[in-house]
Amino acid sequence: MKKTIQTIFVSLLFVSPMQMAAQNTAVDFSQYTGSQVVNSDFEDWSGPEYDNVPFGWHSFESVDGVKLYVSFAKSKDHTSKQTKDLHEGTTGAACLKLVPRSLIIALANGTISTGQMIAGDGSATSPKNHAEMDISKQATSNGSPFYATLTERPAAMSVWVKFTQGSTNKQHPYATVSAAITNGNYYQEPTANNDSSVVIGYAKNNQISSNDGQWQHLRIPFRYNSPNFNTTDDPKAIMVTFSTNADPGQGNKGDVLLIDDMELIYTHTVTIPASGFATFANVVMNNHKVSIPEGLTAYILGTNAQGTPIVKGVYNAGQVLPYGAAVLLKGEPGEYEFSTTLYATAETIEEGGDICLVKVGEGSTPDSNYAYYRLIEKNGALGFSKISDFSGINDSEALLRVKADMASDSYAHVILDSGSKNDVNGDGIVDVSDATQIVNRIQEYDEDTSFLISNADINGDGRINVADVMRLVVFLLENQ
C-alpha cells in the first residue's frame, strides 16, 4: 500500500498535456414536422358540422358508399360522443366515447377513424365496409380532410382506453385499434387484397380487454419489417382506426369504448461512452418532452458565488426534460433508449446564467461575451475543453458556456457528488484507485483551459489538485 502511494506522488512530478479526442455522443434527432395526429387528445370538438365528432376524426356521420347502406349507416343514433369520464393523471377535460349502432339489418361496431368510413355491403364482414384514406382526394368533413399527415417513423403508439361490454361475449371479447403509416396512396382497413406495398409501418392491438372496466394505458409498437411493406418511400400519412369490437358486426348493444390522450412515441438511442458521461440537448421539437431512461441521471449546470460550475438541478430516471434543456448525462457505458412524447402545452427551459450548458445550432458562431467548452475525453480523463468554433458539433450535443470575464483567468470544476466523500470513481470502495483517478485528471488537463468533471474535490475548496490527493492519501493511511 505505501509503495503504491509513493508511486502516485512521483507521478505528480511528470504532468504533461495529452492529445484531445472528442467523445462520440452523436444522437440522430430529427425535427418532427407532422409528428402527431391532429387532436389526438380528443379535446377539440369544434367541427362545424358534427359536435359529437372530435375535430380531425370521422365516423358514420360522413360515411360514403352504396346509397342504400349509407342511409342505414347515417341513422340518427351517434356512435361517437364526448364524455368527461377521464383517466387519472390526464390534463385534459374531455375524451372520446364510442358505442355500437343498430342498423336494423345488422349491428355496426362503434368506429372512428382519421380516414373516411365506407358502407358498401349489407354483410358486416364484407371488405366493402371499411375505412379508407387517400391524400390525393380533396374532400373534407367537419372541417378536416379524410386523412392525417405524418412525416416521421414513430416507434410506438401510446393511448388510454377503457372498454366495457354490454353483455359478456366470450367469442368476441375485445375492442381494437390499428394505425397504418403510408406513402399517401390509397389504403383501406380492413383490406381484401394484398395492398400493403403502400404501407410503411403498422401498429395494431385487437385484444383490448375489459380490464374489469378500468382505464388502461396501452403502448403499441409499430412494425416496419414486414416482407410486403414499403421500405423506400417516406411517410406521408397515417390512418388510425378505433372500434368497439375486433370482429366486424360481433359487438353487443351497450358496448362502450373510451379513448383518450393518444400519442405517437419516438425513441432514439444515446450512447454513453467508457467515461460514463455525455452531454445532451433536448431540442427534438417545440412541445415535446424527453423521458430519462433507467440507468441515467441528467444534471443541469450552473455557477455558485465563487464562479465555480456546480450542479443546479437533477433529473432522475423516469422524469422528463423540458424542451431546450441542455444537460450532462451520467450512467454506465452503453446505449440508452430515449422516448419523446407530446406536451399538453409547450414547456421550455431558457438558457441563462454565467455558466450553463447550451445547444448550439448548425452554422452558429460563438458569442464573444462567452467562452465555450466541449466535453472531451483524454486517455481516460474526462473534462470540458475550450473550443474556438462550432464545427463538428453533433446535432444533440450540448456545450458548456461560460461568461468570458469569468473564464479568462479562472480555473473551476464541475463537482458531482457520488455520495461518498472519498469514493472518486464511484465504485463503492475507497482505495488507491480513487487516488489514481485524481492523478490522472490532474495529468491530463491544463488548468487554464479546462473544467473537470469529478467528485474528487476531497477538501472542498472548489479545485481538484495535489491537495486533494494528499487528503485522500492521509485517509487511506489512517484506514488501512
Side-chain angles (χ1 to χ4, degrees):
M1 168 72 80
K2 291 183 179 180
K3 183 176 181 181
T4 304
I5 294 174
Q6 290 173 350
T7 303
I8 293 173
F9 275 115
V10 171
S11 67
L12 286 173
L13 301 177
F14 300 94
V15 178
S16 60
M18 306 295 288
Q19 184 178 2
M20 297 185 295
Q23 289 195 100
N24 180 19
T25 60
V27 186
D28 183 22
F29 275 86
S30 301
Q31 299 297 319
Y32 298 138
T33 302
S35 67
Q36 294 290 337
V37 175
V38 173
N39 196 27
S40 57
D41 56 1
F42 304 101
E43 294 297 311
D44 186 355
W45 297 76
S46 64
E49 298 170 81
Y50 313 111
D51 58 7
N52 61 293
V53 179
F55 181 79
W57 296 79
H58 309 286
S59 190
F60 290 113
E61 286 76 1
S62 54
V63 67
D64 198 3
V66 177
K67 186 175 181 179
L68 173 62
Y69 304 118
V70 168
S71 64
F72 283 120
K74 283 189 173 181
S75 60
K76 63 180 181 179
D77 296 328
H78 297 299
T79 65
S80 169
K81 307 174 188 293
Q82 181 182 173
T83 182
K84 298 185 183 301
D85 183 358
L86 306 175
H87 69 87
E88 183 178 357
T90 184
T91 59
C95 72
L96 170 65
K97 177 181 179 180
L98 284 182
V99 296
R101 171 182 288 175
S102 176
L103 302 182
I104 302 177
I105 59 174
L107 182 73
N109 297 330
T111 304
I112 200 165
S113 177
T114 55
Q116 184 173 25
M117 304 294 298
I118 303 296
D121 197 286
S123 171
T125 59
S126 171
K128 293 181 180 180
N129 299 317
H130 58 262
E132 66 181 30
M133 175 182 67
D134 185 346
I135 67 173
S136 67
K137 293 184 177 181
Q138 302 301 309
T140 64
S141 173
N142 212 25
S144 61
F146 291 110
Y147 59 83
T149 59
L150 188 73
T151 58
E152 300 295 333
R153 288 175 167 82
M157 177 173 62
S158 167
V159 65
W160 285 85
V161 296
K162 179 179 177 181
F163 178 52
T164 54
Q165 288 186 291
S167 60
T168 302
N169 188 338
K170 294 183 178 180
Q171 284 71 41
H172 308 280
Y174 303 120
T176 185
V177 57
S178 64
I181 300 171
T182 76
N183 63 358
N185 293 332
Y186 176 85
Y187 175 78
Q188 71 176 61
E189 175 83 20
T191 180
N193 52 16
N194 184 12
D195 65 350
S196 60
S197 61
V198 306
V199 176
I200 293 169
Y202 191 77
K204 186 172 186 175
N205 185 333
N206 60 356
Q207 294 186 338
I208 300 176
S209 66
S210 61
N211 193 38
D212 295 325
Q214 301 299 309
W215 279 101
Q216 50 189 315
H217 188 197
L218 306 179
R219 188 181 189 277
I220 309 166
F222 278 91
R223 294 184 292 109
Y224 294 95
N225 58 354
S226 172
N228 297 317
F229 281 0
N230 188 315
T231 60
T232 58
D233 292 343
D234 292 327
K236 291 185 178 179
I238 182 171
M239 191 168 81
V240 182
T241 305
F242 291 91
S243 184
T244 54
N245 201 281
D247 302 310
Q250 297 299 327
N252 303 295
K253 188 175 181 180
D255 290 350
V256 176
L257 177 62
L258 302 186
I259 309 162
D260 201 8
D261 293 335
M262 191 195 88
E263 295 178 311
L264 299 178
I265 299 175
Y266 297 86
T267 58
H268 300 269
T269 300
V270 174
T271 300
I272 302 296
S275 64
F277 290 91
T279 60
F280 172 72
N282 175 23
V283 288
V284 180
M285 188 180 177
N286 179 32
N287 56 348
H288 279 67
K289 62 187 180 182
V290 171
S291 300
I292 302 297
E294 289 295 327
L296 288 186
T297 304
Y299 299 92
I300 297 287
L301 302 184
T303 181
N304 62 13
Q306 290 73 43
T308 299
I310 60 171
V311 173
K312 300 287 284 188
V314 179
Y315 291 92
N316 294 310
Q319 293 181 304
V320 297
L321 296 178
Y323 170 75
V327 296
L328 175 70
L329 296 175
K330 179 182 179 182
E332 291 296 320
E335 292 187 343
Y336 295 82
E337 187 177 82
F338 280 66
S339 296
T340 73
T341 53
L342 188 68
Y343 271 124
T345 56
E347 296 186 23
T348 61
I349 183 169
E350 300 294 333
E351 298 174 356
D354 296 330
I355 297 177
C356 63
L357 281 166
V358 298
K359 163 64 180 173
V360 175
E362 183 178 355
S364 300
T365 57
D367 185 336
S368 60
N369 295 312
Y370 296 94
Y372 295 87
Y373 298 78
R374 189 181 191 187
L375 184 64
I376 65 163
E377 185 177 359
K378 299 190 302 181
N379 295 327
L382 186 71
F384 283 97
S385 184
K386 194 172 185 179
I387 61 175
S388 58
D389 63 68
F390 298 153
S391 60
I393 301 300
N394 300 316
D395 289 342
S396 304
E397 189 176 358
L399 299 180
L400 186 67
R401 188 185 71 181
V402 183
K403 196 174 180 182
D405 58 4
M406 297 177 60
S408 57
D409 298 317
S410 64
Y411 172 53
H413 309 277
V414 177
I415 308 300
L416 297 182
D417 186 1
S418 69
S420 174
K421 188 65 177 177
N422 301 298
D423 182 16
V424 179
N425 57 18
D427 64 358
I429 303 172
V430 179
D431 56 18
V432 173
S433 65
D434 297 297
T436 303
Q437 182 90 340
I438 303 176
V439 173
N440 288 343
R441 300 195 178 191
I442 294 173
Q443 287 180 323
E444 297 299 335
Y445 286 91
D446 179 78
E447 292 193 356
D448 292 332
T449 60
S450 301
F451 293 90
L452 299 186
I453 297 175
S454 180
N455 48 10
D457 183 21
I458 305 298
N459 60 12
D461 64 355
R463 301 167 62 87
I464 300 175
N465 52 27
V466 176
D468 296 300
V469 182
M470 295 177 66
R471 177 67 67 88
L472 182 54
V473 168
V474 170
F475 175 85
L476 292 173
L477 290 172
E478 291 177 347
N479 291 274
Q480 60 180 316

